[in-house]
Amino acid sequence: MPLGPSLRTFQARCQMLSFLLALLSAFAYAQEGKICATEPDQYIGNSQDHFQITAWMRRGVCVRSQPVRPACYQALEATLKNLNFLRIGEYTGAASVLALLPTIGALLGAPTTEIWRLLTVVPFGGGLAMLLSFGGAILPVRVEDYGKDLSSHKVSFRAKAAKGPHQQQQIEEETYAQLDAVVQHIESRMRQDQARRLPKGHLWTGLLAMVALFFGAQAAMAITEQGGVLPWWCRSRWWMHLWYGMVTVTAIAENWTQLPFKETWKLFVSDIPYDVKVRGGDSITAKLDKPEQSVDRVLQALASLRAGTATIQGSRQYTRPRNAVLVVISVVNHGDQQIRSFLRLLSKCTSIATFVTGTALFASVQLLALPIAVMVLTLVLAAGVYGRAITGWIVQGVSKTEPLIHVIVNSTHEAQHVIARILSFDEYGTEEIEFPNQSEVRNLQVELYGHVFVKQRRVAHRTPWYLRTLGVLAQPFDLRNVDISKMSAQGEVQEGSPPSQSELELGLLRKGDRQGSNVQSL
């Protein structure tokens, strides 16, 4: 069927428009790109005599400010053609200097347990130390490294492992005897009259120095990536921070997969500066003592335990606990987890790919001035080296007060035994408290996953992220917040009034105890 005149006219106009657009595109590509120049580009001599960091940064921003990607590459090519051979040689050498940055891990040395200890004692401080690793090895991969003492105080314990079936019973008896000795050491550490305070001034001084190093390195990287341009990713402005994020995440993932522990529990133990009476509630140790109950199953159901009622007898004036210790119980990974082995191989491949990508990125960067390359390399290396040194200094100062006791066991049954013993420091049923004197031993409270236990009963709960973030800097839970005697004295507990959700959670009211909830203050 022949086409009509109007349709043939429309097709001819479309063909003409396509031809004009192709001609304009070819003309645009044939044009010279915008030249972003600085004063030292054609200078014969030392460029440092005329180098200005603001003008150098504006040149990189000018190249990337082109509206489309082809125009950015044209501007970069035109800017490179505007350089004399002296500047080309300087920029090539600067890129070679910056290419050394991915090898910073070798300069930081072998991994030590300082970062792990700081990460356990003060998690956000350990996280800051990991951010200053810049892809270097962070945590040791051998169990023996975690059993070494950093001071004269015993901060770790390594349970023995049986080397054969004939030694199984003997080693097991010796192990449980040693575990009981460790628990007795923890109890004697907590019940001593002398207060061993955490040196917070020492700790905060080191953390502030690490913060200054971190922001100094970040500022140097931000300056470098504004003036430097990648010839294969022209419009990328934050290319150096992209490398930093890649190496940091890869290093943390690799060290996590190579950690020689498959399970870890943290118990925050502190003395109670009040005379506390606990009534009712389910015993946590009764469930942990059952052989058929695994520690994971019991600890995952902590919130389902019937809460007890805590009552303070005597003065309710705020009193600071004498001692607080973070007990970490770790189960050794014997290589029986296939998923962990696969993740270890995957993280190693990712680490190699990140190293190759970072080297190619820094070696190919253009328009990078030599003073900027020296500056960023110096600040990044200083942040990594001095960050590691400050971490060791913090840990050595903090370990003198023994805020961390690390117990390394071979099985979850041994871990369950230690947890049950720690929760059994104060036996339930000794509610009657006489007037205390200075030599009387204080009761203890244990915080596990945010649940606070006194005399084996769960009496309170708070968010676990408070302890996960601050570590031993977190104040022990103040039992005055759940003391039922205060509400009874003020008439807040009325007979027949329905309990609130928070009261049910904290175990403040029980249906059978409403008639006898009025407690006289001593």
Side-chain angles (χ1 to χ4, degrees):
M1 180 177 179
L3 299 175
S6 58
L7 184 59
R8 286 196 299 270
T9 303
F10 177 77
Q11 289 180 344
R13 290 179 179 178
C14 289
Q15 292 176 358
M16 180 63 67
L17 182 60
S18 300
F19 175 77
L20 291 176
L21 289 176
L23 185 62
L24 290 175
S25 299
F27 177 78
Y29 275 94
Q31 297 298 312
E32 290 288 338
K34 180 180 180 181
I35 299 177
C36 301
T38 58
E39 185 177 354
D41 290 350
Q42 297 294 331
Y43 178 70
I44 305 299
N46 189 353
S47 64
Q48 313 309 317
D49 298 336
H50 299 275
F51 178 76
Q52 295 182 356
I53 188 171
T54 54
W56 175 81
M57 292 175 60
R58 283 197 299 266
R59 181 179 62 183
V61 174
C62 173
V63 172
R64 283 188 293 267
S65 63
Q66 305 306 312
V68 293
R69 185 182 304 173
C72 180
Y73 287 106
Q74 291 174 4
L76 177 60
E77 183 178 6
T79 304
L80 292 175
K81 289 181 179 179
N82 188 53
L83 302 176
N84 58 21
F85 289 104
L86 292 177
R87 301 291 81 74
I88 293 176
E90 176 190 348
Y91 295 160
T92 303
S96 301
V97 170
L98 203 61
L100 299 174
L101 202 55
T103 63
I104 186 176
L107 299 177
L108 297 180
T112 57
T113 58
E114 281 86 354
I115 293 182
W116 179 86
R117 294 185 186 277
L118 183 60
L119 185 64
T120 305
V121 175
V122 186
F124 77 90
L128 185 60
M130 298 175 74
L131 293 178
L132 292 175
S133 65
F134 294 96
I138 302 173
L139 305 177
V141 298
R142 300 190 311 163
V143 181
E144 292 77 10
D145 295 331
Y146 292 88
K148 296 179 181 179
D149 296 336
L150 296 180
S151 64
S152 59
H153 303 279
K154 189 68 177 177
V155 295
S156 61
F157 169 78
R158 174 73 166 93
K160 293 182 179 180
K163 297 182 180 180
H166 62 283
Q167 296 181 345
Q168 183 70 32
Q169 183 176 0
Q170 179 182 359
I171 294 296
E172 184 175 343
E173 294 177 355
E174 294 179 359
T175 297
Y176 279 96
Q178 292 177 347
L179 289 175
D180 292 339
V182 172
V183 174
Q184 292 178 2
H185 169 73
I186 298 173
E187 186 174 7
S188 62
R189 163 73 174 84
M190 295 306 305
R191 296 194 187 278
Q192 61 184 356
D193 294 334
Q194 181 182 4
R196 302 174 67 176
R197 304 291 185 190
L198 188 70
K200 295 184 179 181
H202 179 95
L203 180 61
W204 282 112
T205 300
L207 292 178
L208 290 177
M210 294 173 65
V211 169
L213 290 173
F214 174 77
F215 281 106
Q218 298 301 313
M221 289 192 295
I223 293 174
T224 303
E225 58 197 358
Q226 298 307 307
V229 182
L230 296 177
W232 46 274
W233 197 3
C234 182
R235 303 191 69 184
S236 176
R237 174 167 295 183
W238 307 105
W239 50 271
M240 199 166 187
H241 275 90
L242 176 63
W243 164 82
Y244 171 73
M246 290 173 56
V247 297
T248 302
V249 173
T250 302
I252 294 176
E254 182 178 1
N255 283 269
W256 177 79
T257 56
Q258 294 184 356
L259 197 67
F261 307 120
K262 61 180 180 180
E263 290 180 289
T264 300
W265 295 275
K266 297 181 181 180
L267 291 82
F268 192 37
V269 187
S270 61
D271 63 277
I272 304 175
Y274 311 105
D275 300 335
V276 179
K277 179 180 179 181
V278 180
R279 294 180 301 175
D282 296 332
S283 173
I284 178 65
T285 56
K287 296 183 178 296
L288 288 173
D289 291 339
K290 295 181 180 179
E292 67 276 6
Q293 291 284 354
S294 64
V295 62
D296 291 329
R297 184 180 303 176
V298 174
L299 297 183
Q300 289 175 0
L302 289 179
S304 63
L305 292 175
R306 188 167 59 93
T309 302
T311 304
I312 295 180
Q313 296 181 333
S315 174
R316 300 187 71 261
Q317 181 68 29
Y318 170 74
T319 307
R320 181 184 300 178
R322 290 198 191 106
N323 297 286
V325 171
L326 185 64
V327 180
V328 179
I329 304 171
S330 302
V331 181
V332 177
N333 183 11
H334 299 286
D336 52 350
Q337 292 181 321
Q338 296 182 356
I339 184 64
R340 182 65 68 91
S341 301
F342 172 75
L343 292 177
R344 188 180 299 113
L345 178 61
L346 180 62
S347 64
K348 181 62 68 176
C349 296
T350 306
S351 179
I352 296 174
T354 302
F355 174 79
V356 173
T357 302
T359 304
L361 185 146
F362 293 131
S364 62
V365 65
Q366 301 294 319
L367 303 179
L368 180 61
L370 188 59
I372 301 298
V374 173
M375 176 199 67
V376 68
L377 188 63
T378 302
L379 290 178
V380 170
L381 287 176
V385 174
Y386 286 105
R388 182 73 63 89
I390 293 173
T391 300
W393 178 74
I394 292 176
V395 172
Q396 287 182 357
V398 170
S399 62
K400 295 179 181 179
T401 60
E402 198 180 12
L404 169 67
I405 297 179
H406 189 200
V407 183
I408 304 175
V409 296
N410 296 304
S411 65
T412 56
H413 294 288
E414 296 176 358
Q416 185 171 349
H417 176 77
V418 176
I419 295 175
R421 285 293 310 275
I422 294 176
L423 290 170
S424 302
F425 279 158
D426 293 325
E427 295 294 336
Y428 179 74
T430 57
E431 293 91 346
E432 298 298 331
I433 301 176
E434 303 295 336
F435 289 100
N437 51 51
Q438 295 181 353
S439 62
E440 186 174 355
V441 178
R442 292 182 175 183
N443 291 326
L444 302 179
Q445 68 180 30
V446 181
E447 183 174 347
L448 178 61
Y449 293 152
H451 298 274
V452 181
F453 290 87
V454 178
K455 296 184 178 181
Q456 309 170 19
R457 265 61 178 175
R458 185 174 67 96
V459 298
H461 177 268
R462 65 177 177 180
T463 173
W465 288 104
Y466 185 63
L467 186 61
R468 292 174 183 175
T469 305
L470 298 179
V472 294
L473 286 178
Q475 294 294 330
F477 186 84
D478 191 355
L479 291 178
R480 297 184 306 165
N481 298 330
V482 295
D483 178 26
I484 195 174
S485 62
K486 179 182 178 181
M487 294 191 303
S488 299
Q490 296 179 354
E492 296 179 7
V493 180
Q494 301 293 336
E495 183 176 359
S497 60
S500 64
Q501 183 65 27
S502 60
E503 291 169 342
L504 289 173
E505 171 63 23
L506 298 174
L508 299 180
L509 296 177
R510 292 189 300 115
K511 183 177 180 181
D513 294 336
R514 288 178 181 173
Q515 301 295 334
S517 61
N518 295 325
V519 179
Q520 296 180 357
S521 300
L522 295 180

